[in-house]
Amino acid sequence: GYNYRLSNVCAGIGRGQLLVLDERVAQRRANFEFYQRELGNLAGVSFPMEIPDSFSNRWLTTVLIDPVKSGGVTRETVRLALEKFNIETRPLWKPMHQQPVFKDCPAYTNGVPDELFEKGLCLPSGSNMNEETRAFVVSKFRELF
């Protein structure tokens, strides 16, 4: 069977992190709110909304970039441009049915995962980001539009 017990060290780290959990969530939500406020009005750029009666920790800020609505700017255009300024972003996770290990397996999909992967980008979202860092990311992102 599996042993799911934590070591004393891991348990101690976990307890310590719980003491700052509310602060970390507030920092991550601040990142999302900043990006949404500064980039949400760009043509073709959209952010995931919270489901009614829910509360997202916004641990990772993601954005969708629609190249038709953005005048040809794609997720990859943005990713490569930001990379030149040492701003690390990455595409959303590749859908399981696109993974090489599953290439011969049946897939039951409606196209949504493929579209999200094609258009989705994860923005820098660390709890240690400050206003200056977020503003730099936003300024380089906006230059593409």
Side-chain angles (χ1 to χ4, degrees):
Y2 293 99
N3 182 350
Y4 293 110
R5 290 182 290 166
L6 291 176
S7 70
N8 289 342
V9 171
C10 288
I13 291 169
R15 283 192 69 198
Q17 288 298 306
L18 286 174
L19 297 174
V20 295
L21 181 60
D22 290 339
E23 180 183 342
R24 296 292 184 265
V25 170
Q27 291 165 328
R28 298 293 178 120
R29 287 182 63 86
N31 289 339
F32 176 86
E33 290 163 8
F34 183 87
Y35 286 134
Q36 186 178 42
R37 183 177 63 248
E38 298 296 322
L39 301 174
N41 63 343
L42 297 175
V45 175
S46 62
F47 289 83
M49 302 309 297
E50 281 180 319
I51 297 169
D53 301 320
S54 69
F55 181 84
S56 173
N57 63 24
R58 301 291 189 194
W59 206 252
L60 181 62
T61 295
T62 61
V63 63
L64 295 178
I65 303 167
D66 185 331
V68 173
K69 296 177 182 176
S70 69
V73 177
T74 67
R75 175 260 293 160
E76 196 61 5
T77 306
V78 174
R79 188 187 72 75
L80 293 173
L82 295 179
E83 185 177 73
K84 291 178 183 175
F85 294 96
N86 203 28
I87 299 171
E88 185 178 351
T89 64
R90 63 174 178 72
L92 291 183
W93 289 271
K94 183 180 270 191
M96 296 298 286
H97 69 278
Q98 289 187 25
Q99 302 289 341
V101 70
F102 298 116
K103 71 178 183 330
D104 296 325
C105 297
Y108 305 96
T109 181
N110 60 4
V112 171
D114 301 285
E115 183 178 359
L116 292 174
F117 179 63
E118 180 184 329
K119 296 178 180 179
L121 187 68
C122 301
L123 297 177
S125 305
S127 301
N128 61 346
M129 290 186 74
N130 59 32
E131 197 87 16
E132 181 181 341
T133 304
R134 290 188 299 245
F136 181 71
V137 173
V138 163
S139 71
K140 297 305 175 191
F141 191 112
R142 288 183 73 85
E143 285 177 8
L144 299 165
F145 289 80

